[in-house]
Amino acid sequence: MPDDITTFFDRILDVFSDGIYISDRFGKTIKVNDMYEKLTGLKKENLLGRYVKELETEGVYDIAINPLVVKTGKPQTSLQNTSTGRKVILNGHPVFDHNGEVAYVITFVRDVTVLSQLKEQVSYQAELIEKYHREARYLRTRNHTNTIIENPKMRNLMELLKRIAVTDSTVLILGDTGVGKDVFATHIHQYSLRRDEPFFKINCATIPESLIESELFGYEPGAFSGASTKGKPGYFEMADKGTLFLDEIGELPLPMQAKLLRVLQDQEVMRIGSTKVKKVDVRFIAATNRNLEESVQKGTFRSDLYYRLRVAVLELPPLRERKEEIIPFIDFFLDKFNTKYRKKIDFSPEVKKLLQEYRWPGNVREMENLIQGLVVTQDKAMIEIEDLPNYLLNNKEMQEKLQLANVINTEEQSLGEIMEGFEKSVLEKALASHKSVAKVAKALKVDRSTIFRKLKKYGIIQ
Ligand SMILES: Nc1ncnc2c1ncn2[C@@H]1O[C@H](COP(=O)(O)OP(=O)(O)OP(=O)(O)O)[C@@H](O)[C@H]1O
Ligand SMILES: [Mg+2]
C-alpha cells in the first residue's frame, strides 16, 4: 500500500534540524518531529493529542507560547531551559484559515546552548582584551625616556636593575611611598627577556581580603556562590610567560602568603574549586614601603616568604637623599604639565632652592602633585615663594633653612654683616641641640666666655 500524504508529511518534518511542534487553535498537540523529542527529552506519544495548557500545568513546559500566538495572531519568541539541560529558543508562528483566523500554531525550537556558550566565551575574551589594553596603556605611560636618573646611587641601582632583569629571578623593590617603585618594576619587565609578554600588576592593599585568592588563583564555574558561571582565570594564569608585579606585598594576609610561597616555589596553580594543577611560568616582582624585617618580627609577614623574596633587592632612596635629581625632576614635571595644560610657568631661583631643601616626605609623587597643582592653579609666568602652599614653609626645619638662606644677602649686606648673621644662626642651632653654654663651647672649640658674650650680643640669651 502506498504511503499517504500524512505519513510523508511526518517524514518531511523529521528532516528539519530544528525541533517542530504544531498545535491547533485550541492548543491540542497535532505534530511533533524527531528533533523536538531530542531537544526537549519529551516523547511524541506523551504529547500528541494533549493540550498545551495541561502540559504547562503539569510542569512539562515552563511557559507555553501557543496561547499567545492564537490570541494575538502574531509570531512570538521565548527562551527556555529544557529538562535535558539545554537552552532553546522557541519561535511560534500562526497559520491562518480562509477566514483569517489562527488555525494552527507552528513552533520552531532551536538549540542555542552552543551559541550561548560561544557568547560567554566571547565576553570572557572581551574582558581579557580589555585587561591587556589596560596593561598596554599602563606600560605606554612609562617608557625609558621619561625616567629621571641623575644621581650616582640611582645610576648604580639602574645598572643593578638591568643585570637582575635578564636573570628571571624574583625581585623585591623597597622604598618609601612615591620613590618610584612602580617605575622600576616596569623597567625590570622591559629590560627582561619577557618584555613582549604580559605585564600585570596587582595591588595587595586595595583588593578586599575575601577576593584576593580568586583574583590570584581564579576559579572554576560555580566554585562559590556569586562566582561567574563561566569561571575565571586568576592573575597567576594570565601572567603566564610574563611578569606579575605584586605591589604592597607587605599587606598580603598571612594565609595568602603561604599560598603565594607555594606558587613561587612550584610555579603551579590550582583554581578555586578545581582539582587540576596547572603549570605557569611567571616572573615575580614584589614591592612594599614597609620594613618587612619588622613585619617578620611582629609575625605579620612569613619569614620563609621574606627570604624567598629577598633573592634580589632594589632599595630606592628617598628623594631628599637624591638632591642632584631635584632640579631635573622640577624641570621634568614643569615641562610635562606645561605641555599638558598649555602653559609656560617657571619657578624662581628662590623657589627652586627652597624645593631642594624641602624634606619631600611623599617623594617624587609629592613633587609631581605639587607642580601639577601650581601649573593648574597659577596664572603668573614665574612662581615665587609666596605662591607656594603653606605646608611647604610652615615647618620648623624649612624656616631654619630659609633664615640661613636669608642671612646670605650679598646685595645689601657687607661681609661682616653676613658673617655675623651666619654666626648667630650657628650659635642658635648649637645651643638648641647642646642645651648648655659649656657644651656649646666644647663642641665649637671656643672658650666658654666667648660663647657667652656672643650669645648675649645676638640676644640669644639675656
Ligand atoms: N625616576 C623617575 N622619573 C620620572 N618619574 C618618576 C620617577 N620616579 C617616580 N616617578 C613618578 O612619580 C610618581 C610616583 O612613582 P611610583 O608610583 O613609581 O612610586 P611608588 O614607589 O610605587 O609609590 P607607592 O609606594 O606609593 O606605591 C609616578 O607618577 C612616577 O611616574
Ligand atoms: Mg607603587
Side-chain angles (χ1 to χ4, degrees):
M1 196 177 92
D3 292 336
D4 66 7
I5 186 72
T6 331
T7 321
F8 265 121
F9 189 52
D10 282 352
R11 288 192 200 141
I12 291 168
L13 287 186
D14 288 339
V15 173
F16 284 89
S17 56
D18 283 354
I20 293 174
Y21 174 94
I22 302 174
S23 58
D24 66 13
R25 79 178 72 167
F26 307 108
K28 190 161 110 191
T29 312
I30 309 289
K31 296 253 178 254
V32 168
N33 75 346
D34 285 352
M35 191 47 119
Y36 186 88
E37 282 190 313
K38 216 156 128 193
L39 286 177
T40 59
L42 303 169
K43 290 270 153 262
K44 280 181 191 174
E45 56 267 31
N46 297 333
L47 297 171
L48 292 173
R50 308 278 316 272
Y51 286 87
V52 173
K53 274 280 168 213
E54 263 171 47
L55 295 166
E56 200 181 0
T57 324
E58 288 169 20
V60 178
Y61 297 141
D62 40 359
I63 342 153
I65 57 172
N66 306 52
L68 208 59
V69 177
V70 175
K71 204 170 137 201
T72 59
K74 296 219 168 76
Q76 302 291 335
T77 305
S78 151
L79 195 67
Q80 302 212 352
N81 294 311
T82 70
S83 57
T84 51
R86 310 201 69 83
K87 204 168 248 177
V88 294
I89 193 157
L90 306 182
N91 275 310
H93 297 267
V95 179
F96 299 98
D97 63 14
H98 60 278
N99 290 324
E101 305 230 354
V102 179
Y104 296 100
V105 175
I106 176 162
T107 303
F108 298 98
V109 182
R110 186 164 295 168
D111 188 0
V112 289
T113 313
V114 180
L115 210 67
S116 71
Q117 278 169 352
L118 280 175
K119 218 172 114 197
E120 285 199 346
Q121 269 177 29
V122 168
S123 80
Y124 165 67
Q125 297 293 344
E127 227 175 75
L128 211 63
I129 288 170
E130 169 53 23
K131 268 198 164 133
Y132 279 108
H133 275 309
R134 247 185 286 146
E135 170 209 339
R137 275 199 298 275
Y138 178 73
L139 283 176
R140 226 176 297 134
T141 60
R142 309 191 175 287
N143 57 43
H144 306 251
T145 52
N146 62 18
T147 301
I148 303 287
I149 305 283
E150 297 276 350
N151 155 294
K153 226 178 185 170
M154 293 304 283
R155 269 193 281 271
N156 286 341
L157 273 174
M158 203 62 191
E159 289 310 310
L160 177 61
L161 178 146
K162 288 180 197 165
R163 286 197 299 276
I164 295 172
V166 290
T167 65
D168 237 18
S169 137
T170 303
V171 187
L172 178 62
I173 307 177
L174 300 174
D176 288 352
T177 177
V179 286
K181 297 185 293 297
D182 273 69
V183 174
F184 269 58
T186 35
H187 280 315
I188 294 171
H189 179 68
Q190 283 171 335
Y191 281 114
S192 79
L193 303 173
R194 298 169 180 256
R195 71 179 73 88
D196 297 323
E197 301 293 339
F199 174 89
F200 280 104
K201 168 180 158 167
I202 175 164
N203 189 325
C204 305
T206 53
I207 302 179
E209 198 170 328
S210 57
L211 292 184
I212 286 195
E213 184 168 1
S214 66
E215 284 289 310
L216 289 176
F217 288 87
Y219 53 81
E220 287 295 301
F224 49 88
S225 70
S228 148
T229 51
K230 50 189 191 264
K232 200 180 115 175
Y235 277 95
F236 290 142
E237 269 181 65
M238 287 193 295
D240 191 24
K241 306 219 161 38
T243 306
L244 182 59
F245 174 30
L246 299 164
D247 202 6
E248 315 258 17
I249 187 103
E251 314 308 310
L252 199 64
L254 274 167
M256 280 313 300
Q257 292 176 21
K259 290 188 174 160
L260 172 63
L261 181 65
R262 232 168 296 140
V263 176
L264 288 175
Q265 279 165 348
D266 307 336
Q267 293 267 334
E268 278 177 2
V269 294
M270 198 152 68
R271 289 191 187 187
I272 301 175
S274 168
T275 47
K276 270 186 286 181
V277 168
K278 199 168 170 181
K279 270 269 165 218
V280 288
D281 168 22
V282 177
R283 199 272 175 84
F284 288 94
I285 302 174
T288 181
N289 51 26
R290 270 187 192 271
N291 180 338
L292 285 185
E293 222 150 295
E294 243 168 45
S295 305
V296 168
Q297 261 152 30
K298 275 195 285 183
T300 54
F301 204 82
R302 290 181 67 106
S303 58
D304 45 9
L305 178 59
Y306 176 58
Y307 294 121
R308 179 66 186 69
L309 290 174
R310 275 210 68 108
V311 184
V313 180
L314 291 174
E315 190 158 5
L316 305 186
L319 187 58
R320 65 178 160 278
E321 290 173 21
R322 292 143 64 177
K323 283 237 153 68
E324 306 89 328
E325 297 198 323
I326 289 185
I327 297 292
F329 267 125
I330 293 176
D331 294 341
F332 173 74
F333 287 128
L334 271 177
D335 187 53
K336 174 174 168 182
F337 294 116
N338 273 330
T339 309
K340 181 165 179 186
Y341 300 110
R342 296 202 192 91
K343 297 225 184 170
K344 280 197 175 109
I345 287 179
D346 201 359
F347 288 171
S348 74
E350 291 75 27
V351 168
K352 288 190 179 178
K353 198 163 191 157
L354 186 146
L355 296 184
Q356 275 178 298
E357 298 303 329
Y358 179 59
R359 266 181 61 80
W360 297 111
N363 296 292
V364 184
R365 182 177 301 107
E366 183 184 1
M367 156 126 39
E368 183 170 13
N369 293 340
L370 171 77
I371 296 181
Q372 181 171 21
L374 287 167
V375 173
V376 169
T377 56
Q378 299 290 332
D379 261 337
K380 39 188 357 195
M382 188 64 80
I383 303 288
E384 303 290 347
I385 291 201
E386 55 270 23
D387 304 319
L388 296 176
N390 281 336
Y391 72 87
L392 273 173
L393 312 165
N394 279 352
N395 65 71
K396 197 167 154 274
E397 195 184 355
M398 216 55 224
Q399 292 287 358
E400 278 177 16
K401 283 186 171 142
L402 276 181
Q403 261 176 24
L404 202 62
N406 285 343
V407 163
I408 306 169
N409 177 353
T410 54
E411 309 283 304
E412 292 160 25
Q413 289 182 308
S414 68
L415 182 62
E417 283 166 338
I418 291 172
M419 293 316 287
E420 279 188 350
F422 191 62
E423 194 173 57
K424 179 182 171 200
S425 76
V426 168
L427 288 170
E428 275 171 344
K429 242 187 150 153
L431 188 65
S433 60
H434 295 294
K435 306 279 190 277
S436 83
V437 175
K439 282 187 186 146
V440 171
K442 198 168 167 215
L444 297 177
K445 300 188 181 65
V446 186
D447 63 69
R448 239 191 308 176
S449 59
T450 311
I451 296 288
F452 198 69
R453 184 168 43 78
K454 285 183 188 285
L455 288 175
K456 276 193 103 142
K457 172 180 161 196
Y458 296 126
I460 300 171
I461 58 169
Q462 299 301 305

